[in-house]
Amino acid sequence: MAVKVGRGPVGLRTQGRGLRIFASAAVAAGMVVAGVVAIPAAAQASPQKPLTVTFTFDDGVTDQLAGQALLEKYGMVGTFYINSALVGQPGYLSRADLDTLSANGHEIGGHTVSHPDLTTLNAQEVDRQICQDRDTLSSWGFTVTSLAYPFAEYDATVEGVAAHCGYDTARAVGDLWSPRSCGDCPSTETVPPADRFATRTPDDVESNWTLADLQAVVLNAEDDGGWLPFNLHHVCDGCALESIPAALLDEFLAWLQPRTAVGTTVRTVRQALGGTVNPVVAAAPATDPGAPGVNTVRNPSFEDPVAGTDPGCWQGAGYGSNTETHGRVADAHSGTYGARITMSDHTDGDAKMVPAFDLGSCSLQAAAGHAYEVSAWYKSDVQVFFTLYRRSPVGRWSYWTQSPRLAPAAGWTRASWVAPPVPADVAGVSFGLTIDGVGTLTTDDYGFVDTPALPEPAPPGVNALRNASLETPGADGFPQCWTGAGYGTNTPQWTRVTDAADGSYAQQLEITSWTDGDAKLVPAWDSVNCAPTVRTGTTYALSVAYKSTAPVFFTVYRQSDDGVWAYWTQSPPLPATAGYSTAQFTTPVVPAGTRSVTFGLTLPGTGVLTTDAYAMTATE
C-alpha cells in the first residue's frame, strides 16, 4: 500500500543521501540552509541530468491568480488541481478563470468534486468523487489527465479508482527531500514514476519557507536530475499556513528562470510525464429515488455506529455565530439512540443534523417534479423548523427551502412537512430539523418519502382538516396548520384559551377597535400541508363550534390550479351566542380549476369570538 504523507513535516530523518554534502562545503560556498541539511550554492547540474520543475496548486482558490500572473511573467506554466463543485463559489476560481488558465498553457487537473478525505468513504462514493470531477472538468473543455488527492490521503483502493476513472497519474505529497524533513529521501521523482498513482513531492510549501529553502530543494534536485513537483496552495502574505507570499514566489521564479542553462525547466505535470488521454468514465450512479411511500433516509434512527460524535451517514451542519454541541445520545423515540443538539450561546445562525452532504451514499435522491414529505420525531424547549438543502448536478450543495416553525414539545412529537416539488436541476437533497436559539433539540426517526404533490381529497364524510380541534400548538401563536386572516382597518388580538368545546384548547379572537374589514382563523394558505385539497363538482359541509358577542359568518377561499388564492363565497350571518353553538354552512359546487379550499368563521366588527372543533367534509 502506498505510504501516506499528510501536510507538513513527517519527522527528521538524518541518515542517508540527504547528508552527503558536508556543511563545511556549504559554508565555504556562502550558503547555509536552515533546517536539517545544508546545500552548497554550486550544484552539480548539467544538461546531461536535466531537471523538470512543476508548480502544482491545490484547491483552485482565487489568490492563485497571483501565482498564475507570476508564472506567466517568467514564461512558465503550472498545474492547477480543481474541485469542480467549488468553482465559482466565493473565494474560488470561476469558469472564466479556468478558461483563461487553460488558454495560457496551464494545466487543469482534478482534485475530486468536493475535497473529502477519500480514505473515509466507501468505494462507490470514492468513484463518484473522482470520476464525476473528471467528467465535469472534461465537459467544460479541459484535458484532464492528472489527479491530486485531497489532504494527500489515499490507499490502494483509492489508487485503483483513480486509474479506473481514466486518470493517467495521481499526486500524493511528501517522500522527497525537504528543507526540514525527509533528509534521507530522494531529491526527485523518477520519470516515469515508480507509482504513477502516488507521485512524490517535497512537503507542502508553507508560510515559514524562505527563498533559501526553495533554492535548496532545486539545487539538491539538480544534482540528480529527474522531476521535482512543488505543491502550493495560497499565494498571499500569511493568510494560511500553506501559503507563499507573492513577493517570495516572484524572487524564486526570477532565480529559477535562468537555470535553463544547466538543464532546469518548468513544465506542467502532463508535459513532464506525458502519458495517455483516456476517455471519461461515468461515475457510479447513486441509488434511485425511493418509490412513493418508501422512506429513503439511511440510518434514520441513528442506530448505526458513530464516526466521532456523528451517527453513521449523518453530520452536523449550520452557520452563524453560536455555540453548539451535537451527537448521538441514548434518548430515543424508537430503538436505542437519538441525536441531540444543545445550543448554549446564540448571536445568529442555526444548527442541525443532516444526512451527509455527499454524492449519493448518504444524501437523498429525489425525482424532479415530485414532492417529498420530510419528517422527524422531536423534543425541544425552543421553536424548531425543517431546513432543506439541494445538490446541483456538479455536486455543489446550497440552501433550498425551509418549513414553517414548530412549537416546543416536552415529549416526543412527530413533525412533518411536504416540501415544494423538486426542481429539475436538483441532483440530491439533505435536510434536518433545525434549532436557531439557546436550547436543546433531540430528534429521532427521520423520514423522507415521495408523496403526491397534491394530496388526494378526503373521501365523502371524512373531515379534511388537519389539527381540526386546535390541540397542537404552532410556533406563531396560532394552532399548528392555522393562521389569522382578514383585511381592513381593525385591531385583532389572538389568544390560545382553555375554554374549549372539544379537547383542551380553543382559539379566541378579539377585535378591540374597528373601522372596516374583518378577521378570522383559517387553515394556512398552502396547497399541500394544511389547506385541504378538494374535489371539483361537489359541495362541502363546513362546521365549527363557536361562541361570540357579535354576529359572525363563514368566509370561504379557493386556490386555483395555478396556485393563486382568492375569495370565493360566504354564508349568511350567524347570531351571537353566549355558549358554544355549532355554525354550519354548505358551499356551492366547487368549480372546475380549483385545487384547495380554506375557510374561517368571520368577525366583522368589535367583539370576542371563540372557535373550536372545525370540520370540512365532502357531501357526496
Side-chain angles (χ1 to χ4, degrees):
M1 187 170 88
V3 177
K4 297 189 292 181
V5 181
R7 295 177 175 176
V10 296
L12 302 182
R13 291 177 282 187
T14 56
Q15 302 297 318
R17 76 171 302 283
L19 291 182
R20 59 191 172 82
I21 305 296
F22 293 106
S24 58
V27 173
M31 176 176 160
V32 178
V33 178
V36 196
V37 182
I39 301 297
Q44 303 301 309
S46 73
Q48 286 71 45
K49 295 185 291 183
L51 176 68
T52 298
V53 174
T54 297
F55 291 97
T56 69
F57 295 81
D58 281 10
D59 306 342
V61 291
T62 52
D63 56 42
Q64 291 172 1
L65 295 175
Q68 172 198 354
L70 289 171
L71 287 172
E72 292 172 7
K73 175 181 176 180
Y74 294 101
M76 301 174 182
V77 289
T79 296
F80 292 77
Y81 289 113
I82 303 299
N83 303 109
S84 51
L86 302 181
V87 172
Q89 295 299 289
Y92 291 89
L93 300 175
S94 66
R95 282 281 302 277
D97 293 330
L98 300 187
D99 289 339
T100 300
L101 283 167
S102 181
N104 291 359
H106 302 281
E107 179 183 12
I108 303 299
H111 199 33
T112 73
V113 171
S114 57
H115 205 285
D117 178 346
L118 295 171
T119 62
T120 67
L121 307 179
N122 63 46
Q124 282 198 323
E125 191 68 16
V126 173
D127 183 284
R128 286 188 279 268
Q129 282 286 341
I130 296 177
C131 282
Q132 183 174 318
D133 183 53
R134 182 170 185 256
D135 293 357
T136 297
L137 295 172
S138 298
S139 74
W140 292 345
F142 306 120
T143 301
V144 185
T145 61
S146 176
L147 169 71
Y149 301 120
F151 308 110
E153 295 290 348
Y154 65 98
D155 55 24
T157 297
V158 172
E159 285 193 69
V161 173
H164 161 76
C165 292
Y167 280 106
D168 188 63
T169 182
R171 197 213 67 209
V173 175
D175 288 338
L176 293 185
W177 185 91
S178 299
R180 293 169 179 78
S181 71
C182 215
D184 60 346
C185 288
S187 62
T188 57
E189 178 61 276
T190 58
V191 180
D195 185 348
R196 291 186 73 90
F197 291 94
T199 63
R200 298 169 292 180
T201 75
D203 289 344
D204 286 334
V205 175
E206 295 185 341
S207 58
N208 62 349
W209 281 46
T210 65
L211 178 61
D213 292 333
L214 295 163
Q215 291 170 334
V217 174
V218 173
L219 292 169
N220 200 33
E222 284 180 342
D223 206 31
D224 288 331
W227 183 41
L228 176 62
F230 281 97
N231 185 35
L232 301 95
H233 289 79
H234 292 275
V235 182
C236 62
D237 286 328
C239 66
L241 173 64
E242 293 159 323
S243 64
I244 182 172
L248 175 56
L249 182 58
D250 193 0
E251 281 189 277
F252 179 48
L253 298 181
W255 172 85
L256 184 63
Q257 184 188 45
R259 301 197 70 77
T260 54
V262 293
T264 296
T265 56
V266 175
R267 297 177 180 174
T268 66
V269 172
R270 186 176 173 212
Q271 289 169 341
L273 299 184
T276 303
V277 181
N278 296 310
V280 297
V281 176
T287 56
D288 292 332
V294 175
N295 181 16
T296 56
V297 176
R298 281 84 160 176
N299 193 21
S301 190
F302 306 118
E303 300 304 306
D304 288 353
V306 300
T309 61
D310 293 338
C313 253
W314 290 80
Q315 69 178 62
Y319 75 100
S321 300
N322 53 70
T323 303
E324 61 87 13
T325 59
H326 67 270
R328 190 168 75 160
V329 293
D331 182 3
H333 171 257
S334 71
T336 303
Y337 298 104
R340 179 168 295 153
I341 302 172
T342 299
M343 188 169 286
S344 57
D345 179 73
H346 180 268
T347 301
D348 55 31
D350 64 35
K352 73 279 289 183
M353 294 283 290
V354 299
F357 291 143
D358 63 13
L359 301 179
S361 291
C362 295
S363 59
L364 304 157
Q365 303 307 112
H370 289 224
Y372 289 81
E373 181 193 62
V374 296
S375 64
W377 286 83
Y378 80 102
K379 299 187 293 185
S380 178
D381 54 10
V382 293
Q383 297 178 8
V384 295
F385 55 93
F386 287 105
T387 303
L388 280 73
Y389 298 89
R390 53 190 284 175
R391 188 181 74 238
S392 72
V394 298
R396 181 180 304 135
W397 284 97
S398 60
Y399 168 83
W400 175 23
T401 187
Q402 68 186 53
S403 74
R405 289 179 175 269
L406 303 166
W412 285 108
T413 302
R414 186 177 187 270
S416 66
W417 183 62
V418 178
V422 175
D425 61 347
V426 171
V429 174
S430 186
F431 75 99
L433 207 55
T434 304
I435 181 172
D436 66 349
V438 172
T440 299
L441 167 64
T442 307
T443 58
D444 198 7
D445 293 331
Y446 277 76
F448 185 80
V449 175
D450 190 338
T451 192
L454 194 63
E456 284 295 317
V462 175
N463 191 354
L465 300 176
R466 295 185 63 176
N467 195 20
S469 192
L470 314 183
E471 296 301 295
T472 304
D476 54 0
F478 293 102
Q480 189 179 107
C481 256
W482 293 78
T483 191
Y487 75 99
T489 304
N490 53 73
T491 306
Q493 295 181 352
W494 299 93
T495 308
R496 190 181 192 220
V497 297
T498 56
D499 181 11
D502 176 67
S504 301
Y505 297 100
Q507 192 77 6
Q508 184 181 91
L509 162 65
E510 181 178 7
I511 296 182
T512 57
S513 66
W514 180 90
T515 302
D516 55 27
D518 63 38
K520 74 280 290 182
L521 183 72
V522 299
W525 310 91
D526 64 17
S527 57
V528 178
N529 291 284
C530 297
T533 307
V534 294
R535 300 178 187 276
T536 59
T538 191
T539 61
Y540 279 80
L542 313 179
S543 69
V544 59
Y546 83 104
K547 54 184 180 178
S548 177
T549 62
V552 294
F553 57 89
F554 284 98
T555 304
V556 189
Y557 303 87
R558 61 179 290 267
Q559 184 187 38
S560 61
D561 284 342
D562 60 4
V564 176
W565 282 97
Y567 168 84
W568 176 26
T569 188
Q570 68 185 58
S571 73
L574 299 163
T577 174
Y580 271 111
S581 297
T582 300
Q584 295 179 316
F585 173 63
T586 300
T587 70
V589 171
V590 177
T594 300
R595 174 188 295 177
S596 300
V597 164
T598 191
F599 72 96
L601 205 56
T602 304
L603 183 62
T606 57
V608 179
L609 167 64
T610 305
T611 57
D612 195 7
Y614 284 74
M616 174 178 165
T617 58
T619 59
E620 58 182 59

